[in-house]
Amino acid sequence: SRGKASNKQWYQRRVRGAVSAAEKAVNFDTTCCVARQTLARSQINIGELGLACTNIQKSILLNPGVNDAWEDLKEIRELLRKRNETTWALLPVETRPGIVNQRLGM
């Protein structure tokens, strides 16, 4: 339906706007752990898990005492693990790296 499509587009614009704003905050002050954490959280929302992981790690390096940043890191790693498992699960069995090596006797 038309309403659902426009709602999805609206949401995507809002999320992209959040990423852009967080990027500007990081560029303004690269030592602000909260800006890095906000950027990482907005990157999670658009599926940029690799970038989110990098930014949350930088946030933690800037201030290791922020407990929710550690929780964010755990969540991102779990999402990455699930995405990787799903990706491998979609491949034909014979193309998975471990299977090929087992068949070759390696």
Side-chain angles (χ1 to χ4, degrees), residues 50-65:
L51 292 173
C53 191
T54 298
N55 280 303
I56 202 65
Q57 288 172 335
K58 288 179 181 180
S59 174
I60 290 169
L61 286 174
L62 290 167
N63 187 352

Side-chain angles (χ1 to χ4, degrees), residues 41-106:
R41 288 175 173 175
S42 63
Q43 288 167 330
I44 292 169
N45 290 332
I46 62 168
E48 294 288 350
L49 300 178
L51 292 173
C53 191
T54 298
N55 280 303
I56 202 65
Q57 288 172 335
K58 288 179 181 180
S59 174
I60 290 169
L61 286 174
L62 290 167
N63 187 352
V66 179
N67 290 334
D68 56 335
W70 288 99
E71 290 300 316
D72 289 344
L73 179 60
K74 209 160 81 172
E75 177 187 350
I76 294 166
R77 286 182 173 165
E78 180 64 17
L79 290 169
L80 283 166
R81 184 188 65 75
K82 286 179 180 177
R83 184 178 71 185
N84 289 339
E85 283 178 2
T86 302
T87 302
W88 285 112
L90 295 175
L91 291 175
V93 172
E94 60 275 1
T95 62
R96 296 179 193 167
I99 302 298
V100 172
N101 291 336
Q102 289 172 10
R103 290 193 178 151
L104 294 175
M106 299 179 151

